Amino acid sequence: MRKLQILRTLIDIFWLFSIIAVIGMVIFIPFMFLSKEVIDIPLKINGELIKIDTITKKLILVVVVISYFIFAYGIFLFRKVLSLFQRRIVFDDTVIILLDKVGKCFLVASILTSVSLLFYNIFTKNKDFSIEFGGGFSSFLFTASLGLFFMVLSEVFKISKNIKEENDLTI
């Protein structure tokens, strides 16, 4: 259970930083749309430096921010799962549903971020763009795989719950 406590602590720290970032984004996005001047703040998303100078790029940034909110919501749900694990609630319908939702949040956030960055490259590089599958924790393949892992884990827990219920019924 020590590993579970360490994981919960790390996820709580990550959640705290996510909340701070969400608050910053909620303040920044309306300011960005209401400002008539070009915002000269360098933004780097998944290794891509983004310059926000047109309404199209602003909308692409909004999609990236929405994907971040979805990812942060997935972290919130994962915190719920870990608190259930700490209370020794493992093979429960709530855990199964939460794991599935975490996976879907991570997968949707990964897809939204990648697609919006692809559109950004199309609009800025005039059809001279490339698709990169770089390594690291911010890559599409990693976050999509993480999302699918949580969805598979949900299915494994569902199967385990059914087996446990069948074993409880046998004498």
Side-chain angles (χ1 to χ4, degrees):
M1 290 311 262
R2 180 86 176 130
K3 293 174 192 167
L4 182 61
Q5 184 60 38
I6 293 170
L7 178 61
R8 174 71 196 255
T9 303
L10 292 174
I11 293 298
D12 285 344
I13 292 169
F14 186 71
W15 172 246
L16 176 70
F17 287 132
S18 295
I19 291 300
I20 293 169
V22 164
I23 291 170
M25 288 179 206
V26 166
I27 293 169
F28 174 71
I29 294 296
F31 175 73
M32 177 188 66
F33 274 104
L34 296 176
S35 175
K36 296 201 183 344
E37 298 176 16
V38 175
I39 298 175
D40 199 23
I41 300 172
L43 292 172
K44 202 171 207 181
I45 300 172
N46 287 357
E48 186 78 35
L49 189 63
I50 295 179
K51 184 178 180 185
I52 305 166
D53 54 359
T54 64
I55 190 70
T56 305
K57 293 176 186 176
K58 289 178 182 180
L59 291 174
I60 289 172
L61 181 65
V62 168
V63 172
V64 170
V65 168
I66 289 170
S67 73
Y68 184 79
F69 289 167
I70 293 170
F71 188 81
Y73 180 65
I75 294 296
F76 171 75
L77 295 176
F78 187 48
R79 288 179 67 234
K80 283 185 171 184
V81 170
L82 293 176
S83 69
L84 289 172
F85 285 172
Q86 282 182 322
R87 291 185 283 162
R88 303 213 187 269
I89 300 172
V90 180
F91 299 113
D92 189 57
D93 288 332
T94 307
V95 172
I96 294 167
I97 291 168
L98 286 174
L99 285 173
D100 188 53
K101 284 183 180 180
V102 168
K104 288 178 182 173
C105 285
F106 288 176
L107 189 61
V108 167
S110 175
I111 291 170
L112 280 177
T113 302
S114 297
V115 167
S116 60
L117 289 178
L118 178 68
F119 281 125
Y120 176 79
N121 285 332
I122 290 172
F123 288 125
T124 58
K125 297 181 182 173
N126 296 329
K127 297 183 180 152
D128 184 30
F129 66 94
S130 63
I131 299 174
E132 295 180 20
F133 291 105
F137 294 112
S138 63
S139 75
F140 168 75
L141 292 177
F142 179 76
T143 53
S145 299
L146 190 62
L148 290 172
F149 170 75
F150 277 104
M151 293 168 70
V152 168
L153 192 60
S154 170
E155 291 295 321
V156 169
F157 272 59
K158 188 184 297 184
I159 292 168
S160 300
K161 179 183 178 253
N162 289 338
I163 291 173
K164 183 180 181 290
E165 287 175 353
E166 289 175 8
N167 284 340
D168 290 343
L169 292 176
T170 58
I171 298 177

